[in-house]
Amino acid sequence: MAIRLHTVSHTYTAINQPAVHALKDVTLTIDATDEFIALVGETGSGKSTLVQHLNALMAPTSGTAELFDVTISAESFKDKSIKKTPIRKRIGLVFQFPEYQLFEESVLKDVAFAPKNFGLSQADAEEKAKHALSLVGLDDTYYARSPFHLSGGEKKRVSIAGILAMEPDILVLDEPTSGLDPQSQKMLMDVFESIQRTTHISIVFITHDMNWVEAYAKRVLVMQSGELVFDGAPDALFNHPELSVWKMDLPDRKKVLNYLQSQFKLQTPMDDFTQLLNAINGEGDQ
Amino acid sequence: MPLIELQDVSFSYGKTPAIDQLSLTVEAGEWVTIVGPNGSGKSTLAKLLIGLLKTQQGTIQVAGETLDETTVQGIREKIGIIFQNPDNQFVGVTVKDDIAFGLENLSVPYEEMLKRIDHYSKAVGMDAYLDKEPSQLSGGQKQRVAIAGTLAMKPELIIFDEATSMLDPTGRQAMLEIMHALKASGKTILSITHDLKEALPADRVLVMHEGRLLKSGTPRDILRDEPLLKKARLTLLEPFKYMNQLAKKKQLTDEWEALLWQSAFTL
Ligand SMILES: Nc1ncnc2c1ncn2[C@@H]1O[C@H](COP(=O)(O)OP(=O)(O)OP(=O)(O)O)[C@@H](O)[C@H]1O
Ligand SMILES: Nc1ncnc2c1ncn2[C@@H]1O[C@H](COP(=O)(O)OP(=O)(O)OP(=O)(O)O)[C@@H](O)[C@H]1O
Ligand SMILES: [Mg+2]
Ligand SMILES: [Mg+2]
């Protein structure tokens, strides 16, 4: 087990503000290899807070987060002898807003920063950075540009490349597809999948788009008001009676096929359009 | 007279133009969705319209007035924009201050101001967060607050620059309903998005590509045009895949077309 959250709660406190219980007793394990997990849940349900506990950016208010061989708790987080940097290299997190992550003067430097920081030579770090940039669809014309003077989707790509270049053991992505054009969304999900398949690392991604959950995730976690309310297979989620209570919906394919099926008063659920056509024409509908 | 008219507008940040000799018009009361690849100039167009960037060539007219230093202030009062990154929007210490700030600038009377803060924070489901600092909100909550702040100013034209990209399915649906209500009350909507579902209810869809207009058409024209969508790095929505599948087999009857079009609205 690479990651083990045990009854993790997180409460945000600020002067003159009521406490916000963003995570409530979340218990969860994530394997070191071969996981492909979608994390979903309504706005403000605690997804971004949760993933910041997966790489020691945040400490639980109560409970513990075991991250490989380090245990993070409210107390141990303050212990200077427990180094967080190695954890953050092994468990790479891409933020929801790329602006929080970008800081260097050029795109290439920004992406090469982490590999360099973790001990690679300048040349090797740049090699890794160039490869990562090509994976996210940015060519050499971007290398010298400022990461701040880019379009929204281009910034997002740079922030993703920055973590890919680190080659983490576990990749955690907070809404990696938001802000990308549809073909790039698919291209990047394919990149993540291919990395997962060839290197067997585990991947966790947050999304509001059920199409990606259906197409890529092997396991899905649902958050609601700070609680983990579902942990299971995507299919089980889409058939779950509480789906709409959790403010989630179905993938497009299912929505459209369900609508057509009801229009034709067909009994059995359809998996694809061809099957639906056959059923309407009286073929293969037992 | 169109509400917006661009004539031969160009703008570049560096060598390559981000907007390249673009001409287009938007009528008052129209709902226009703008789509296109990353970096195709959508946000740049939005910033040119509110005078945040200055055209380097060509002219922009809003309600018959040419946009320049002397008119920019007045024109900005007619246009509300929700930026792609909501963090670029916030000026107030709290959510409430933030919504109030825009209204104070418009000299809205105090009583009316409170009413609007109440109304619009409820409309986006953020009324319980009025005393929070914007920086303490989740991504989707920030987007909702940004939307409330802009709508509260009751602008004639509202530009949504990917304003729903981080909303959950229910929130996105609620935002579409708000857009329908805006349209019904005669407002003009320019909505930039990567989600083709948001193009369905529009009057017109503009497809941007490398700073130019690749095509302007009704949702019915655009959403089925596979080669066009491919060029604009978009993907066919499920029902239109089926439509094209039937059309290829010469089986696309009027009934099927109507039914599949209907089914798209369940998305
Ligand atoms: N820095 C903070 N201080 C106080 N409260 C916070 C802070 N960050 C987040 N919150 C609150 O904690 C809750 C969970 O926020 P979080 O960002 O984890 O949600 P999320 O599931 O990622 O939502 P979204 O889908 O909108 O990004 C929200 O109610 C939010 O308002
Ligand atoms: N501040 C800036 N400085 C320099 N170049 C910029 C700046 N902002 C955008 N650009 C460039 O201008 C072009 C158009 O960018 P724009 O932000 O208008 O694209 P967009 O269509 O909104 O893309 P996205 O879908 O990614 O938001 C891109 O090539 C981008 O790299
Ligand atoms: Mg979040
Ligand atoms: Mg943009």
Side-chain angles (χ1 to χ4, degrees):
Chain A
M1 231 43 86
I3 296 179
R4 189 193 300 268
L5 302 189
H6 187 68
T7 59
V8 165
S9 295
H10 190 93
T11 304
Y12 289 105
T13 47
I15 309 157
N16 295 333
Q17 295 271 357
V20 178
H21 303 288
L23 294 179
K24 300 169 192 163
D25 279 333
V26 174
T27 295
L28 163 74
T29 57
I30 296 171
D31 271 343
T33 55
D34 285 324
E35 293 245 42
F36 209 132
I37 303 176
L39 173 55
V40 303
E42 68 179 299
T43 296
S45 58
K47 302 179 297 297
S48 295
T49 306
L50 178 64
V51 295
Q52 291 178 74
H53 284 78
L54 300 183
N55 78 338
L57 268 180
M58 277 187 181
T61 308
S62 66
T64 53
E66 287 171 43
L67 310 172
F68 289 106
D69 45 6
V70 181
T71 301
I72 303 288
S73 65
E75 299 75 44
S76 78
F77 192 70
K78 292 179 209 128
D79 184 345
K80 291 277 185 324
S81 70
I82 296 176
K83 294 272 174 278
K84 279 106 196 157
T85 318
I87 306 173
R88 291 178 195 148
K89 186 207 171 321
R90 291 193 74 180
I91 306 172
L93 170 64
V94 178
F95 288 129
Q96 186 166 7
F97 291 99
E99 284 81 357
Y100 295 175
Q101 206 165 313
L102 306 172
F103 66 101
E104 279 280 7
E105 64 196 38
S106 77
V107 166
L108 189 61
K109 273 192 185 168
D110 203 290
V111 178
F113 177 83
K116 195 164 166 243
N117 201 30
F118 294 128
L120 286 190
S121 71
Q122 180 72 23
D124 288 348
E126 283 192 7
E127 221 32 67
K128 287 243 185 296
K130 286 176 182 174
H131 177 64
L133 284 165
S134 77
L135 287 178
V136 301
L138 295 176
D139 61 23
D140 54 6
T141 62
Y142 286 91
Y143 292 173
R145 291 182 58 183
S146 159
F148 299 101
H149 297 166
L150 296 174
S151 82
E154 290 165 344
K155 282 181 194 164
K156 189 92 193 187
R157 290 166 203 251
V158 176
S159 76
I160 293 172
I163 301 299
L164 290 181
M166 230 164 66
E167 298 183 338
D169 294 331
I170 295 184
L171 181 58
V172 184
L173 305 137
D174 196 343
E175 301 199 25
T177 59
S178 79
L180 297 183
D181 59 60
Q183 282 182 38
S184 302
Q185 294 184 20
K186 168 129 189 7
M187 179 194 84
L188 273 178
M189 290 307 296
D190 285 343
V191 166
F192 302 145
E193 187 178 54
S194 128
I195 291 174
Q196 202 272 321
R197 232 179 322 134
T198 51
T199 66
H200 299 284
I201 64 166
S202 286
I203 295 181
V204 181
F205 70 104
I206 295 178
T207 188
H208 289 298
D209 190 333
M210 297 304 134
N211 296 318
W212 302 135
V213 177
E214 184 188 41
Y216 293 91
K218 297 184 207 163
R219 175 181 169 197
V220 55
L221 309 172
V222 183
M223 293 294 296
Q224 191 197 29
S225 307
E227 287 178 56
L228 181 64
V229 291
F230 179 92
D231 181 350
D235 250 353
L237 172 66
F238 298 136
N239 290 313
H240 203 287
E242 309 240 39
L243 187 71
S244 63
V245 177
W246 299 330
K247 308 273 173 70
M248 295 295 104
D249 64 355
L250 293 173
D252 289 354
R253 193 178 53 84
K254 285 189 196 286
K255 281 194 230 171
V256 172
L257 288 174
N258 285 353
Y259 174 80
L260 296 175
Q261 188 194 333
S262 72
Q263 290 298 304
F264 289 101
K265 302 193 169 55
L266 296 169
Q267 298 304 319
T268 38
M270 300 295 149
D271 280 330
D272 60 43
F273 187 59
T274 310
Q275 195 188 7
L276 180 104
L277 285 181
N278 289 341
I280 294 165
N281 299 329
E283 300 157 25
D285 188 28
Q286 289 101 4
Chain B
M1 179 182 60
L3 182 67
I4 295 172
E5 185 160 13
L6 268 77
Q7 268 172 351
D8 210 22
V9 171
S10 294
F11 179 87
S12 46
Y13 298 95
K15 279 195 300 268
T16 39
I19 293 292
D20 192 6
Q21 299 183 308
L22 183 67
S23 297
L24 60 88
T25 57
V26 176
E27 299 299 325
E30 217 182 349
W31 178 344
V32 176
T33 298
I34 303 177
V35 296
N38 290 134
S40 59
K42 304 180 298 295
S43 298
T44 305
L45 170 62
K47 288 175 191 163
L48 286 166
L49 284 174
I50 57 163
L52 206 60
L53 296 173
K54 265 170 48 187
T55 54
Q56 292 156 349
Q57 188 197 307
T59 56
I60 297 178
Q61 290 197 312
V62 179
E65 249 185 330
T66 302
L67 181 64
D68 59 27
E69 289 87 7
T70 59
T71 56
V72 65
Q73 213 44 49
I75 286 176
R76 262 192 211 172
E77 287 182 10
K78 295 192 180 78
I79 307 180
I81 181 166
I82 297 126
F83 288 109
Q84 189 162 2
N85 179 349
D87 285 329
N88 296 343
Q89 191 112 11
F90 300 128
V91 283
V93 178
T94 65
V95 168
K96 190 176 178 178
D97 291 347
D98 197 77
I99 304 177
F101 184 82
L103 300 177
E104 278 165 6
N105 276 349
L106 296 177
S107 317
V108 173
Y110 187 68
E111 285 299 308
E112 167 71 11
M113 201 160 88
L114 293 183
K115 249 194 242 163
R116 289 202 206 170
I117 292 172
D118 181 61
H119 177 81
Y120 288 98
S121 63
K122 278 186 180 139
V124 299
M126 287 300 291
D127 47 312
Y129 294 81
L130 286 173
D131 295 324
K132 297 271 173 199
E133 291 175 29
S135 67
Q136 298 174 335
L137 300 176
S138 79
Q141 290 169 341
K142 284 180 183 177
Q143 285 194 323
R144 295 184 194 211
V145 170
I147 291 168
T150 300
L151 295 185
M153 291 190 275
K154 298 192 174 178
E156 277 314 301
L157 165 71
I158 303 117
I159 306 174
F160 295 85
D161 192 352
E162 298 190 38
T164 63
S165 63
M166 292 176 185
L167 298 187
D168 58 45
T170 314
R172 205 176 53 89
Q173 212 57 48
M175 220 44 69
L176 277 177
E177 274 155 36
I178 289 180
M179 290 189 197
H180 275 288
L182 290 171
K183 161 89 186 167
S185 68
K187 304 283 185 189
T188 310
I189 301 171
L190 274 190
S191 150
I192 298 169
T193 182
H194 290 299
D195 189 348
L196 277 186
K197 292 171 212 169
E198 292 179 17
L200 279 166
D203 298 311
R204 199 150 55 97
V205 184
L206 305 180
V207 185
M208 297 278 300
H209 188 259
E210 295 179 352
R212 292 165 177 263
L213 195 58
L214 198 57
K215 190 164 178 184
S216 157
T218 63
R220 273 180 195 261
D221 292 337
I222 305 279
L223 293 175
R224 265 187 69 186
D225 190 338
E226 199 167 0
L228 172 79
L229 296 186
K230 200 162 177 194
K231 188 161 183 207
R233 299 193 60 81
L234 294 157
T235 45
L236 277 174
L237 290 174
E238 212 63 16
F240 303 108
K241 282 187 202 161
Y242 305 162
M243 251 190 223
N244 290 354
Q245 191 177 324
L246 286 174
K248 244 180 227 139
K249 294 193 287 183
K250 304 228 181 313
Q251 290 172 359
L252 184 62
T253 58
D254 289 350
E255 287 80 14
W256 264 117
E257 198 172 331
L259 188 62
L260 287 168
W261 179 256
Q262 264 312 310
S263 77
F265 287 87
T266 66
L267 292 175

